[in-house]
Amino acid sequence: MACSLTSNLIQPFKYLIVIDYEATCDENRGFGPQEIIEFPAILIDTNEKKIISEFHSYCKPIRNPILTDFCKQLTGIQQHQVENAPIFNEVFESFEKWLIELGLLDPQQSSQQSSQQFEFAIIHCGDWDSRTMMPLQLSLTNIPTPSYFNRWINVKKHYSNFTSKPPTGMVGMLNQLKLPLVGRHHSGIDDSRNITAIVIHLLSNGVCFDITTTANPNPRNRNRNRNQNDSNSNSNSNSNSNSNSNPNSNPRNRNRNNNTNNNTNNY
């Protein structure tokens, strides 16, 4: 699906949903399996170029219920927040109810609808969230993958095309677009709001947000590094970042991709 080049640009999707998960993690490469512990989603109207609604919930991990010190320091999520949270199955059900209430999902066809029938697309900062983490989480919890998660938009690619600069992380994009970093870096909801600011800025400058990535049907490839297509983003992001993250800890993703030797940072 491509943009319609009329006098006013018509976006391929009426809505974009910005999602930036946080997951259990540790410095130890043997840690796993990772589980989603924060599920934020922000709905953007591409015509109005504004936020319509937000969804947010923490998730109680099952396989590794005790958060590591590394995870707590990195994400800011504390043990009591996940212990008192619903499990992922319940959070995902609430997420789909949110979509239904907004009129974006047919409750009778939520899993069967073709992805081409949706008025919205999922958008991330990178590919890891939908390429790696969501398939893993759905597999762990025996939830069939909805078709709207089978393709998504990587905002970094559209940013790179717009600026003619190499892909960089979220903080690097904010800095180069002269947008403020709001909240805590590596908080799922704060990162989602910051990514949303980037998306709205690009929308306002005529960027066409079409699909950049589709799910790989080969399960062996699902656990590849979230940032395999732009391996230089970590150095670019760090050079432009004012984040308080420890530069030696490979923030956000030290062990998120424990099945690969490539640990480039997507943010």
Side-chain angles (χ1 to χ4, degrees):
M1 187 181 296
C3 288
S4 176
L5 299 177
T6 61
S7 57
N8 292 317
L9 181 70
I10 299 177
Q11 293 286 339
F13 298 97
K14 186 175 181 180
Y15 302 103
L16 299 174
I17 300 179
V18 177
I19 295 179
D20 186 82
Y21 306 118
E22 295 300 328
T24 53
C25 55
D26 191 36
E27 292 180 293
N28 177 11
R29 288 179 180 271
F31 178 87
Q34 292 180 277
E35 299 169 85
I36 292 173
I37 54 174
E38 186 179 6
F39 193 138
I42 299 180
L43 180 68
I44 302 172
D45 185 313
T46 59
N47 294 321
E48 298 293 330
K49 303 174 181 62
K50 67 179 183 180
I51 296 173
I52 300 300
S53 182
E54 289 187 356
F55 173 88
H56 180 253
S57 180
Y58 293 107
C59 309
K60 183 177 182 178
I62 303 300
R63 302 299 183 93
N64 292 286
I66 305 301
L67 300 182
T68 64
D69 290 339
F70 176 84
C71 184
K72 290 185 287 186
Q73 180 180 4
L74 180 65
T75 66
I77 300 172
Q78 301 304 307
Q79 188 64 39
H80 69 89
Q81 291 176 291
V82 295
E83 284 185 352
N84 297 324
I87 60 174
F88 179 82
N89 302 60
E90 296 169 342
V91 173
F92 193 76
E93 181 179 356
S94 296
F95 170 71
E96 290 213 314
K97 285 183 178 179
W98 177 68
L99 294 178
I100 291 170
E101 290 171 359
L102 290 167
L104 300 178
L105 200 64
D106 185 336
Q108 304 302 320
Q109 297 180 322
S110 58
S111 296
Q112 290 75 29
Q113 268 181 282
S114 165
S115 59
Q116 300 298 323
Q117 295 177 311
F118 294 107
E119 290 187 306
F120 68 90
I122 305 296
I123 184 166
H124 306 295
C125 183
D127 291 321
W128 175 86
D129 297 82
S130 278
R131 173 175 283 160
T132 300
M133 193 61 240
M134 180 53 79
L136 173 60
Q137 183 67 64
L138 293 176
S139 175
L140 290 172
T141 49
N142 296 314
I143 299 175
T145 302
S147 58
Y148 57 82
F149 272 117
N150 285 334
R151 83 282 186 276
W152 60 90
I153 299 170
N154 180 348
V155 68
K156 297 168 70 174
K157 294 183 179 179
H158 287 302
Y159 163 86
S160 184
N161 291 336
F162 172 70
T163 62
S164 298
K165 295 180 179 179
T168 184
M170 182 195 79
V171 176
M173 288 190 286
L174 290 170
N175 288 340
Q176 292 179 19
L177 296 175
K178 301 188 185 308
L179 298 172
L181 172 64
V182 178
R184 176 193 174 101
H185 189 23
H186 304 307
S187 157
I189 187 62
D190 288 344
D191 281 357
S192 295
R193 289 168 179 161
N194 283 306
I195 297 165
T196 295
I198 294 168
V199 172
I200 290 176
H201 179 91
L202 296 178
L203 283 169
S204 299
N205 282 275
V207 172
C208 173
F209 277 91
D210 52 2
I211 294 296
T212 64
T213 318
T214 56
N216 193 325
N218 184 352
R220 294 180 61 186
N221 293 328
R222 285 182 175 173
N223 289 327
R224 287 183 177 178
N225 189 278
R226 63 192 291 188
N227 202 24
Q228 60 182 352
N229 293 324
D230 34 50
S231 60
N232 292 325
S233 67
N234 183 40
S235 59
N236 292 334
S237 175
N238 288 341
S239 64
N240 292 290
S241 172
N242 293 320
S243 169
N244 292 326
S245 301
N246 180 353
N248 296 319
S249 66
N250 196 11
R252 170 101 183 177
N253 197 24
R254 180 71 176 259
N255 191 57
R256 280 186 166 184
N257 301 288
N258 52 69
N259 293 323
T260 180
N261 291 324
N262 181 5
N263 284 302
T264 50
N265 177 18
N266 195 47
Y267 290 83

